[in-house]
Amino acid sequence: MSFTVIIPARLASTRLPNKPIADICGKPMIVRVAEQALKSGASRVICAVDDELILKACEANGIEACLTRKDHACGTDRLCEAAEVCKIPDDEIIVNVQGDEPLIPPKVIKNVAELLMNRSDCSMGTAAIRIHSAEEFFNPNVVKVVADKNGSALYFSRAPIPWDRDGFAKDRNALPRDLGLRHVGIYSYRCAFLKAYPQLPKSDLESWESLEQLRALYNGYKIAVDIFEEEIPPGVDTLADLEAVRAYLQKK
């Protein structure tokens, strides 16, 4: 089994400036993410960065990195450039690991790569975990996914889906068992599909939901979903998140 992990990272962040190079117990965040990816069995791990500061932080820690343009509209576009620059073959599986997930389990990365290898009918793969509270289910910042019997995504939404009409008519504070799946923002792609992705027509669904994976579904491509029963640690969006990761690693 061969797959490549690409970690897109940009220096500018509204909620946490210079996030990729934020120190976490003596190492930049981007390096922590890359080290988790290296434990997944990936044949290659590349950080696709938009600034020399991140590039130097990676190189100083022995992590492969490539400099990409600053003007990419999304992380997928940055991935595409990195795949071209690094001459990754079209038949390779690429796993997109977000640059702000220093605690991502290597098993999740490996499983998402294997998921696509085992699903020849799908162009993308991703992960989900079960939602356990109504608060999480109704939170628009929590992206939900609904899958079919074969484990292919039917739809992703910030809205609470699927909707238990009778159950929620009685009580919206209690979540019916196994109702919702929380989407985890990790993707695997076939490299040829990844390179074609930026040219696919966008839809209003993608704009309304602000979810770029809907572009694939809108254009008729399938996304395989792997459901993990164990919890997957959240990423770092704020200073509070960063402090929580620091405290976790110091205790560990």
Side-chain angles (χ1 to χ4, degrees):
M1 182 185 74
S2 173
F3 65 94
T4 296
V5 172
I6 302 181
I7 305 168
R10 61 188 185 93
L11 194 65
S13 174
T14 305
R15 288 186 285 181
L16 189 59
N18 298 337
K19 182 163 67 170
I21 57 174
D23 179 80
I24 299 180
C25 302
K27 294 180 181 179
M29 183 187 304
I30 189 73
V31 172
R32 291 277 181 187
V33 178
E35 288 177 343
Q36 292 297 95
L38 286 166
K39 297 173 186 175
S40 70
S43 56
R44 193 176 179 187
V45 174
I46 306 164
C47 294
V49 307
D50 76 338
D51 194 278
E52 289 280 354
L53 286 175
I54 315 175
L55 184 71
K56 290 177 181 177
C58 291
E59 291 175 343
N61 288 274
I63 303 296
E64 182 180 358
C66 70
L67 195 61
T68 57
R69 303 199 322 262
K70 288 182 177 289
D71 61 348
H72 285 305
C74 62
T76 307
D77 290 345
R78 194 174 308 285
L79 241 67
C80 292
E81 183 184 355
E84 295 281 4
V85 170
C86 297
K87 297 181 170 30
I88 298 174
D90 285 351
D91 60 352
E92 178 80 347
I93 299 296
I94 293 178
V95 180
N96 174 6
V97 176
Q98 300 300 316
D100 58 4
E101 304 236 6
L103 300 180
I104 187 166
K107 178 185 176 183
V108 173
I109 300 172
K110 181 181 180 182
N111 283 18
V112 170
E114 289 179 340
L115 177 67
L116 201 54
M117 292 174 189
N118 296 327
R119 292 289 303 273
S120 60
D121 60 320
C122 294
S123 299
M124 293 175 61
T126 192
I129 56 176
R130 300 196 184 278
I131 293 175
H132 299 296
S133 71
E135 180 183 7
E136 190 178 11
F137 187 66
F138 287 104
N139 184 347
N141 293 317
V142 173
V143 177
K144 275 70 68 174
V145 58
V146 174
D148 66 16
K149 66 177 184 178
N150 298 315
S152 299
L154 292 171
Y155 193 62
F156 297 85
S157 183
R158 297 182 183 279
I161 59 171
W163 185 259
D164 181 4
R165 187 194 67 172
D166 295 338
F168 286 133
K170 298 175 183 176
D171 184 3
R172 292 197 182 187
N173 294 313
L175 191 66
R177 186 166 176 247
D178 293 338
L179 177 68
L181 291 174
R182 177 177 187 151
H183 178 231
V184 178
I186 181 173
Y187 299 99
S188 54
Y189 306 83
R190 303 188 192 283
C191 190
F193 172 76
L194 175 64
K195 291 174 181 176
Y197 191 86
Q199 281 72 52
L200 293 178
K202 296 182 181 180
S203 72
D204 287 337
L205 295 175
E206 179 182 351
S207 300
W208 292 333
E209 297 267 18
S210 190
L211 298 173
E212 59 179 299
Q213 66 267 36
L214 291 175
R215 192 183 316 177
L217 295 184
Y218 178 78
N219 285 282
Y221 294 94
K222 287 187 176 182
I223 302 175
V225 181
D226 197 3
I227 301 173
F228 288 83
E229 296 302 331
E230 60 267 35
E231 290 299 310
I232 299 175
V236 174
D237 290 322
T238 66
L239 182 58
D241 295 337
L242 179 62
E243 295 294 352
V245 171
R246 287 170 174 163
Y248 172 82
L249 289 176
Q250 284 171 350
K251 186 183 295 184
K252 188 177 179 181

